[in-house]
Amino acid sequence: QVQLVESGGGLVQAGGSLRLSCTASGFAGSFSDFGPMGWFRQAPGKQRELVASMPVSSSARYADSVKDRFTFSRDDSKNTVYLQMNLLKPEDTGVYYCNLQRNWGDFVGDYWGQGTPVTVSS
């Protein structure tokens, strides 16, 4: 059973940085077979939105609101994806979720982390 565990959220002042991690466990085969991937966030009272994605065999893409501030990366040797967040703004506040998909052949698994809260104070 695939599990995703997130970490790295917290309270930070505007202009600061955080790095979120999402580590997968409980699967057979290689982590490199996971994809596409995404980081989502849900601000208080708002719908969940996609902030960064990494399609299969392609470079990361970003929402306009985070472009040039956030970086999505993966380390297959650690079964982990990251979201480096720089120059944080109060509007970046929310709960951040990682999402990984994997094609197992007879079905496509869709997996979510538990969410990690990020609060940016002004």
Side-chain angles (χ1 to χ4, degrees):
Q1 181 177 353
V2 178
Q3 290 188 318
L4 303 182
V5 176
E6 298 182 39
S7 62
L11 174 64
V12 64
Q13 288 189 332
S17 298
L18 286 172
R19 188 178 78 158
L20 307 183
S21 300
C22 172
T23 301
S25 62
F27 59 92
S30 172
F31 183 73
S32 62
D33 292 328
F34 279 84
M37 305 176 171
W39 282 96
F40 293 74
R41 72 183 175 198
Q42 187 162 18
K46 295 187 177 181
Q47 290 189 328
R48 192 174 297 188
E49 63 173 341
L50 177 66
V51 297
S53 63
M54 187 174 289
V56 175
S57 301
S58 183
S59 56
R61 301 170 185 175
Y62 303 93
D64 288 343
S65 60
V66 307
K67 200 173 294 182
D68 300 323
R69 298 188 297 120
F70 289 12
T71 302
F72 190 170
S73 62
R74 62 187 290 174
D75 185 340
D76 290 348
S77 69
K78 296 182 178 179
N79 300 341
T80 300
V81 298
Y82 303 96
L83 186 68
Q84 177 67 43
M85 306 186 296
N86 298 329
L87 298 175
L88 283 161
K89 304 176 180 180
E91 51 263 43
D92 294 319
T93 293
V95 179
Y96 283 71
Y97 300 88
C98 61
N99 172 250
L100 276 61
Q101 298 181 23
R102 179 167 174 172
N103 188 339
W104 296 98
D106 52 350
F107 75 98
V108 176
D110 186 60
Y111 309 102
W112 290 87
Q114 83 281 10
T116 185
V118 171
T119 302
V120 184
S121 63
S122 57

